[in-house]
Amino acid sequence: MFESSRSYFLKTDRIIVPMFKGTNSSKVLKISYDMAREYGSEITAITIREKTESIDVQGRLSLVTAAYNEGKKAGIKVIPKIQTFDNAREGIIMETKGHYYDILFLSTRKRSMLSSSIFGNIGDYVLKNSSIPLAILSSGDKEYPYSSILLPLSESINTRAAVYFALQLAKLHKSQVTILDLRKYDKNPAHGFKTLMDNPAILSGSMGDIRIVRSGDSAGIKEEIGNYIKSDNPDCIIVGILKSEKYRIISDIKFIIKEPGIDTILVKK
């Protein structure tokens, strides 16, 4: 029932992964490899050269070539690609509009709680302008694969597509998933994940270790999640927004994404 519901679904047949120097791109690329291995996906590893940059063909080529070679060893189809645009952030959007992709995986580093930016210059732009589903990883100091994934459940900070993504990610390495029920904080719930929470047995075929934790007596979502992080120290938190919300990120989600040390993935369908 769960996997057959279109509202709880996110297509991942063709994945595009922008490549940048550093460890962040490496982490999200590993996630895409694992998904491709499990679900038969095709990956496009792309790097963008800005027109104002000096030509560094060898450096750019090494990024996507390494991705291609690693994928080849694992039996995964990886298409290496180098494109030149006025700037990287617009280049990513133009690439997704000019070719068919199901989902974009992007990785960024953690931003300060005091910073107005959520994912940085490129990440914020891609989040606002992407016309295809995307998953943006705000990378902390946790290692992948994740052994413990926190899935807070509230209409204000999550979506059905993000729930699906979290459970599919957990399935790859039999990670433990904790569903933190925060529905009591929804002021005007439309569906409240009622079917999912009233019938947890529908999750049984999705993956292994799922536990449900009810909300406590905290003052709000930030406090609930903050307390859970202190007590259980999860590796990753997954939240979601709808496409119609692309220009508005509420403070609770900003807090979760910027929480120090914890990897956070924001899913937008």
Side-chain angles (χ1 to χ4, degrees):
M1 179 178 176
F2 171 76
E3 301 220 8
S4 65
S5 172
R6 296 300 301 175
S7 60
Y8 283 100
F9 182 73
L10 200 59
K11 192 176 182 182
T12 57
D13 292 345
R14 299 191 66 186
I15 303 170
I16 178 171
V17 182
M19 301 293 299
F20 304 96
K21 293 180 180 179
T23 58
N24 289 340
S25 292
S26 174
K27 186 182 290 187
V28 80
L29 188 61
K30 289 177 181 178
I31 295 175
S32 70
Y33 285 151
D34 287 341
M35 286 199 164
R37 189 181 294 108
E38 180 74 18
Y39 307 116
S41 311
E42 173 188 289
I43 301 168
T44 295
I46 186 171
T47 184
I48 306 294
R49 185 186 77 84
E50 298 186 351
K51 290 181 178 179
T52 56
E53 292 179 340
S54 59
I55 298 177
D56 179 19
V57 176
Q58 191 60 38
R60 297 289 180 182
L61 186 61
S62 65
L63 281 174
V64 294
T65 299
Y68 168 80
N69 289 332
E70 189 173 351
K72 185 177 181 180
K73 290 179 182 178
I76 299 167
K77 184 177 181 180
V78 177
I79 300 172
K81 205 167 191 178
I82 301 176
Q83 295 282 56
T84 300
F85 292 97
D86 289 337
N87 59 69
R89 65 183 194 175
E90 292 180 5
I92 294 172
I93 296 301
M94 291 177 69
E95 172 67 21
T96 59
K97 289 182 177 179
H99 300 81
Y100 179 76
Y101 299 105
D102 294 310
I103 190 168
L104 185 152
F105 286 176
L106 181 67
S107 184
T108 68
R109 62 176 176 81
K110 286 286 182 182
R111 260 58 193 181
S112 165
M113 288 288 188
L114 300 178
S115 172
S116 59
S117 174
I118 302 173
F119 293 110
N121 179 43
I122 294 177
D124 288 354
Y125 184 87
V126 171
L127 177 64
K128 291 179 180 179
N129 293 280
S130 176
S131 60
I132 67 171
L134 73 159
I136 303 184
L137 167 66
S138 178
S139 183
D141 57 12
K142 299 295 184 177
E143 295 293 329
Y144 177 81
Y146 307 123
S147 61
S148 174
I149 296 174
L150 174 60
L151 184 59
L153 218 59
S154 162
E155 282 195 0
S156 62
I157 62 170
N158 230 319
T159 62
R160 290 172 168 139
V163 170
Y164 178 87
F165 183 89
L167 296 178
Q168 296 307 300
L169 180 61
K171 183 178 179 181
L172 301 176
H173 297 283
K174 296 182 172 59
S175 309
Q176 180 188 72
V177 175
T178 298
I179 296 177
L180 183 59
D181 185 1
L182 302 175
R183 291 176 298 159
K184 75 175 186 180
Y185 298 106
D186 288 329
K187 295 179 180 179
N188 299 298
H191 57 75
F193 300 101
K194 180 175 174 58
T195 300
L196 179 69
M197 298 305 290
D198 288 353
N199 302 278
I202 66 177
L203 297 175
S204 60
S206 301
M207 42 80 63
D209 190 5
I210 299 176
R211 66 169 181 161
I212 296 175
V213 176
R214 304 297 177 181
S215 55
D217 298 321
S218 299
I221 287 176
K222 293 179 186 177
E223 291 77 10
E224 291 273 8
I225 291 179
N227 290 337
Y228 181 85
I229 290 173
K230 290 178 182 178
S231 63
D232 280 57
N233 191 28
D235 297 322
C236 179
I237 305 174
I238 296 180
V239 293
I241 61 172
L242 298 174
K243 190 174 182 179
S244 61
E245 298 172 313
K246 64 180 180 179
Y247 295 110
R248 180 175 177 269
I249 304 296
I250 65 172
S251 61
D252 287 337
I253 291 183
K254 290 179 182 178
F255 167 80
I256 294 167
I257 292 171
K258 294 184 177 184
E259 175 66 29
I262 306 296
D263 282 20
T264 305
I265 297 177
L266 175 67
V267 176
K268 186 189 84 169
K269 183 177 180 180

